[in-house]
Amino acid sequence: MSSVTSNIESVLNEERVFPPPEDFSRNAGIKSEEEYERLRAEAHDSPETFWARMAEEIHWFKKWDTVLEWNLPHAKWFVGGKTNISYNCLDRHLPTWRRNKAAIIWEGEPGEQRTLTYQQLHTEVCRFANVLKRAGIERGDRVALYLPLIPELAIAMLACARLGATHSVIFGGFSSTALIDRINDAGCKLVVTADGGWRRGSEVKLKAAVDEALKQTPTVKGCIVVRRTGARVSMQMGRDYWWHELMETVDSNCAAEELDSEHPLYILYTSGTTGKPKGILHTTAGYLLQCHLTCKWVFDLKDEDIYWCTADIGWVTGHSYVVYGPLSNGTTVLMYEGAPNYPEPDRFWQIIERHRVNIFYTAPTAIRAFIKWGEHWPLKHDLSSLRLLGTVGEPINPEAWMWYREIIGKARCPIVDTWWQTETGAIMISPVPGATPTKPGSATKPLPGIEVDVMTRSGKTVGPNEGGYLVIKRPWPSMVRTIWGDDERYRKQYWSEIEGVYFAGDGARCDKDGYFWIMGRVDDVINVSGHRLGTAEVESALVSHEAVAESAVVARPDELKGSAIVAFVTLEGTHKASDDLKEELRRHVAKEIGALARPDEIRFTDQLPKTRSGKIMRRLLREIATSGSIAGDVTTLEDFSVLEKLRTEEE
Ligand code: WTA
């Protein structure tokens, strides 16, 4: 066990290493570790020269004067330059053969399909930009987008960006209360929504939620509604307009505005652990550059690829890796509107087979669900088109990683476990698939230009394999610029915890090979007898047992030890809950990690409470484990019946 400099102990011990497959490396953009290390060294030694060289890859109306102005905590990148992200994602491809290439292949949950070529997408975006102009939207105005995962959402984002209007995408699963807060915080002038969307066979009534919200949003002057489900909705005269009707009345040419590098591109709200959601602000050029580069490096995009990132566009992953990153690279993006288990648990595998998907990027929580549903679902389908797999959003347990590799990737596809955040805008730590040997459960090494470290609270770098706080030591082009309307909170939250560096809020360790192992949020750290354990590691140990599909570990106050470990566990299909199994699992964790980590209590449950983006709500489990009831805010919970079950199971 490591010494306790930072007071976070790392106990996961994973020894397996998988080198990149030779044929993958041969055809990859970055072909070897040496090539990757050269780039990294170049960026390390002269970062501004490196970023300037990289910035040649995007289109500029006017080149920048200064690469970086850095006054901690405020960065300005490519100062004096002028560009437009919508131009980079569309217009730039039109004089090339990509004009007639599919930009978006979309599948609705009920099964309909639509394809938009780059030229068609360009036309739609120009038209909608003209609609926005006619609605009085100008450079700098904020526009709220509250839509299902349909092409119109990407069109609306690109149309805003074309004019220099700042979009605020609000995930279609949020309630009207969440809408009110977000619309008012940003002072949005216009809302773009749909009658509804499809999720697991039912209609999500978006327009009804907007109607409710607009009673309390004084800045909103109008609402544009996409007809998606065809359900009856109420349209308020003078305020509400149909998308398809407005689109008929406008011209299909609209030049992209020449915007300053630091022009605000979008606001995206993320929930902090407490308090109101933070409006993360991203700007134009640096964000574009880093989405473009990371997409190319990490997904090793080829022009023939069909690329599918399953994230909803309402989250940052959808912004950077469904819309801006892939489109700026001229990629064919697959979009699917609905749930992975509709009508059956093999919908994703069906889609991969039907469209011959090559690159598949999803979340560990989805992978654990697939494991739980059983491998016969993917095994029914031909997944041989896949050549690269990715994950994002939480630490992936080594056992889930191995399942992903064997069952989905047939031991043929490299896996890129990508660590980043809404605040970082783009991937920070990830394998480069043709170059980096992977270790199950590690996001491996930082990408070129990203200087990460693991530190103690007092800002001292810890030794190999010692746990600590993950920080980023230098500004990077796609970094958050501020929290909308609350610059002080920005400074405090990210730049004051440890002096002089960006504080990510995650625990991590770096092994002797320079590989990073993310241990989960710092607030998910458990202090047992003065030893702090990453919940993710205890969970990994549990999931490595054959009976366990998924687990979430939380702390309950304990007089003797400070905290007791409570593990909520869902079982794989054929296994039955029993006291013997509880004992066996406790022993198993003790064996995998040490007696220190043995759960004090194991609770079997059918499901875990999750946010709509799929993150386990450990806060709720902590409350249940501690007091048996929930007093806190549950607005982001996906399925309320889970709580009821957890409560009754307890009695
Ligand atoms: C977690 C999602 C481990 C982490 C892009 C981070 C991860 C938070 C990984 C950001 C990963 C994301 N391994 N943990 N590969 N990727 N996380 O803002 O705790 O929704 O701080 O951005 O997710 O979540 P966010």
Side-chain angles (χ1 to χ4, degrees):
M1 192 134 297
S2 57
S3 69
V4 215
T5 24
S6 65
N7 225 20
I8 298 179
E9 283 192 17
S10 177
V11 285
L12 184 71
N13 201 6
E14 172 61 55
E15 301 280 346
R16 288 169 288 201
V17 183
F18 297 93
E22 259 171 49
D23 55 335
F24 193 101
S25 299
R26 208 174 313 120
N27 298 312
I30 299 178
K31 296 182 191 325
S32 66
E33 256 191 305
E34 295 70 46
E35 201 179 321
Y36 153 83
E37 290 295 352
R38 261 201 311 279
L39 272 179
R40 217 176 134 189
E42 179 196 343
H44 176 82
D45 296 343
S46 37
E48 294 181 24
T49 318
F50 171 79
W51 289 117
R53 184 165 81 78
M54 293 298 129
E56 300 289 341
E57 294 205 19
I58 63 174
H59 171 88
W60 296 90
F61 295 117
K62 176 180 172 289
K63 283 270 162 72
W64 59 92
D65 305 314
T66 315
V67 176
L68 170 66
E69 280 176 16
W70 176 228
N71 288 308
L72 190 145
H74 295 117
K76 287 186 182 162
W77 282 91
F78 306 108
V79 184
K82 288 198 187 292
T83 186
N84 185 298
I85 196 166
S86 179
Y87 185 97
N88 272 272
C89 289
L90 301 167
D91 307 53
R92 203 158 58 124
H93 306 307
L94 298 189
T96 74
W97 67 272
R98 286 187 185 135
R99 179 186 198 91
N100 294 320
K101 177 178 176 175
I104 296 175
I105 299 176
W106 174 83
E107 201 175 298
E109 194 185 75
E112 59 285 58
Q113 294 185 24
R114 275 167 76 187
T115 300
L116 287 158
T117 63
Y118 273 93
Q119 178 167 273
Q120 290 168 332
L121 183 61
H122 177 260
T123 304
E124 296 295 302
V125 168
C126 287
R127 293 182 95 94
F128 195 65
N130 284 329
V131 166
L132 289 173
K133 269 192 201 167
R134 205 181 280 172
I137 296 301
E138 294 172 0
R139 199 183 272 212
D141 286 342
R142 274 84 58 209
V143 176
L145 308 177
Y146 182 64
L147 285 156
L149 215 174
I150 55 177
E152 282 76 6
L153 177 47
I155 292 166
M157 291 162 80
L158 290 160
C160 286
R162 201 165 184 83
L163 300 179
T166 302
H167 60 69
S168 166
V169 180
I170 302 163
F171 173 58
F174 278 126
S175 64
S176 53
T177 325
L179 261 174
I180 294 168
D181 293 345
R182 287 162 175 76
I183 290 172
N184 288 338
D185 186 75
C188 296
K189 246 188 169 171
L190 182 79
V191 177
V192 184
T193 188
D195 45 6
W198 294 109
R199 186 80 190 170
R200 228 164 271 138
S202 339
E203 198 202 353
V204 182
K205 296 189 189 319
L206 298 173
K207 179 60 165 63
V210 170
D211 289 340
E212 208 35 54
L214 293 195
K215 292 176 187 161
Q216 297 178 56
T217 55
T219 53
V220 175
K221 301 293 174 243
C223 176
I224 299 176
V225 187
V226 177
R227 182 172 280 159
R228 162 69 191 118
T229 60
R232 275 180 78 92
V233 293
S234 71
M235 297 290 279
Q236 188 177 309
M237 276 269 281
R239 186 194 72 185
D240 302 347
Y241 298 88
W242 287 107
W243 170 293
H244 60 273
E245 289 179 1
L246 295 175
M247 289 288 265
E248 279 171 17
T249 65
V250 292
D251 194 88
S252 53
N253 292 307
C254 174
E257 295 279 319
E258 301 190 4
L259 301 173
D260 287 338
S261 293
E262 284 297 332
H263 187 80
L265 173 64
Y266 70 77
I267 303 167
L268 182 59
Y269 288 85
T270 79
S271 35
T273 41
T274 51
K276 67 172 187 144
K278 303 175 281 192
I280 300 301
L281 179 71
H282 283 292
T283 58
T284 300
Y287 176 80
L288 160 64
L289 174 63
Q290 219 160 348
C291 286
H292 180 85
L293 287 174
T294 52
C295 225
K296 213 168 85 163
W297 289 338
V298 173
F299 301 115
D300 187 48
L301 295 173
K302 300 276 182 278
D303 253 319
E304 325 59 280
D305 281 330
I306 296 200
Y307 160 93
W308 183 19
C309 165
T310 66
D312 193 284
I313 296 177
W315 310 113
V316 75
T317 306
H319 282 60
S320 301
Y321 297 107
V322 177
V323 181
Y324 292 120
L327 294 180
S328 79
N329 279 286
T331 307
T332 298
V333 176
L334 190 120
M335 285 183 192
Y336 165 59
E337 176 188 32
N341 55 350
Y342 186 85
E344 300 261 37
D346 62 345
R347 182 62 181 270
F348 276 15
W349 320 125
Q350 219 180 58
I351 291 176
I352 290 174
E353 183 172 21
R354 176 160 45 244
H355 298 281
R356 310 299 297 153
V357 171
N358 307 106
I359 300 170
F360 179 65
Y361 187 33
T362 195
T365 183
I367 296 168
R368 293 193 301 263
F370 302 144
I371 298 174
K372 186 175 163 204
W373 296 333
E375 62 190 43
H376 57 286
W377 292 107
L379 292 180
K380 275 193 355 202
H381 295 276
D382 175 5
L383 306 180
S384 61
S385 58
L386 290 173
R387 63 180 197 89
L388 179 65
L389 303 174
T391 77
V392 59
E394 350 156 39
I396 179 164
N397 324 107
E399 292 319 310
W401 194 100
M402 287 304 295
W403 185 93
Y404 198 28
R405 177 185 149 85
E406 304 292 330
I407 305 297
I408 306 305
K410 314 288 183 215
R412 188 188 69 238
C413 307
I415 296 181
V416 287
D417 172 0
T418 62
W419 179 86
W420 59 295
Q421 308 177 295
T422 305
E423 294 88 341
T424 70
I427 297 169
M428 301 280 105
I429 307 179
S430 166
V432 172
T436 319
T438 51
K439 304 184 187 184
S442 169
T444 76
K445 301 196 215 175
L447 292 175
I450 306 304
E451 302 287 330
V452 291
D453 201 356
V454 182
M455 288 183 163
T456 62
R457 271 276 168 187
S458 54
K460 206 173 129 279
T461 298
V462 302
N465 282 323
E466 281 177 26
Y469 301 97
L470 185 66
V471 304
I472 307 178
K473 296 199 287 190
R474 276 189 195 161
W476 63 100
S478 63
M479 66 187 257
V480 48
R481 295 304 196 263
T482 188
I483 293 176
W484 184 263
D486 198 349
D487 197 52
E488 191 42 40
R489 189 172 175 199
Y490 165 70
R491 179 189 299 272
K492 266 202 16 226
Q493 179 100 32
Y494 303 112
W495 297 94
S496 307
E497 293 282 339
I498 300 179
E499 211 189 310
V501 297
Y502 170 84
F503 182 79
D506 282 332
R509 72 181 161 98
C510 182
D511 70 17
K512 59 181 188 337
D513 302 322
Y515 278 52
F516 287 82
W517 300 76
I518 313 299
M519 295 153 64
R521 300 293 301 179
V522 185
D523 37 18
D524 289 337
V525 163
I526 305 181
N527 191 326
V528 183
S529 307
H531 302 285
R532 297 180 74 174
L533 294 167
T535 50
E537 297 179 297
V538 183
E539 288 160 12
S540 283
L542 283 162
V543 173
S544 73
H545 189 280
E546 55 166 19
V548 178
E550 187 167 33
S551 84
V553 165
V554 297
R556 164 162 60 67
D558 181 276
E559 277 190 9
L560 226 63
K561 299 194 286 184
S563 291
I565 300 175
V566 182
F568 291 82
V569 167
T570 62
L571 294 176
E572 295 244 9
T574 52
H575 293 270
K576 293 264 171 306
S578 70
D579 284 345
D580 284 350
L581 183 56
K582 279 188 186 172
E583 250 333 283
E584 189 181 322
L585 292 178
R586 296 179 70 234
R587 269 201 311 272
H588 179 73
V589 174
K591 190 180 103 232
E592 292 288 301
I593 303 179
L596 170 71
R598 181 191 285 132
D600 297 271
E601 196 181 325
I602 291 203
R603 295 195 186 188
F604 295 117
T605 172
D606 275 342
Q607 266 177 307
L608 296 167
K610 292 189 182 159
T611 64
R612 294 159 212 268
S613 67
K615 287 198 168 60
I616 295 171
M617 296 184 78
R618 290 198 177 67
R619 181 172 57 75
L620 298 187
L621 293 173
R622 232 176 272 136
E623 286 185 46
I624 288 175
T626 307
S627 63
S629 64
I630 305 284
D633 173 39
V634 292
T635 49
T636 54
L637 184 64
E638 156 100 295
D639 179 357
F640 287 88
S641 67
V642 175
L643 282 188
E644 207 37 58
K645 283 199 198 125
L646 283 168
R647 263 191 230 123
T648 44
E649 264 153 18
E650 201 243 327
E651 280 154 14

